[in-house]
Amino acid sequence: MGTLVAIGAAVAVLTGIGAGIGIGLATAKATEAIARQPEAEGKITKTLILGCALAEATAIYGFIIGILIIFFLG
């Protein structure tokens, strides 16, 4: 049972990879957008920060689920 709990927790924490890739792509696209249209920097930055916060929230949820799996099933 212990190894299945560890595998389940590891799978839950893998959401951090998706969040990291998503934030990286969003930052790259925002940088390109600011380079093309510098006067829209404020709007682009606000949207980027909102998107990064939402992506990071999914990673935090996965981490919390992993911790809960370890504590309650382990």
Side-chain angles (χ1 to χ4, degrees):
M1 182 77 175
T3 56
L4 289 177
V5 171
I7 291 171
V11 169
V13 174
L14 285 178
T15 57
I17 294 173
I21 291 171
I23 292 171
L25 289 174
T27 304
K29 295 297 182 179
T31 304
E32 289 177 14
I34 291 171
R36 290 177 190 227
Q37 199 171 11
E39 65 273 4
E41 180 182 3
K43 289 183 178 182
I44 294 168
T45 303
K46 287 178 189 176
T47 306
L48 172 66
I49 290 172
L50 178 64
C52 288
L54 292 173
E56 192 63 32
T58 61
I60 292 170
Y61 292 148
F63 178 70
I64 296 298
I65 295 299
I67 295 293
L68 290 174
I69 288 172
I70 290 171
F71 285 136
F72 290 118
L73 297 179

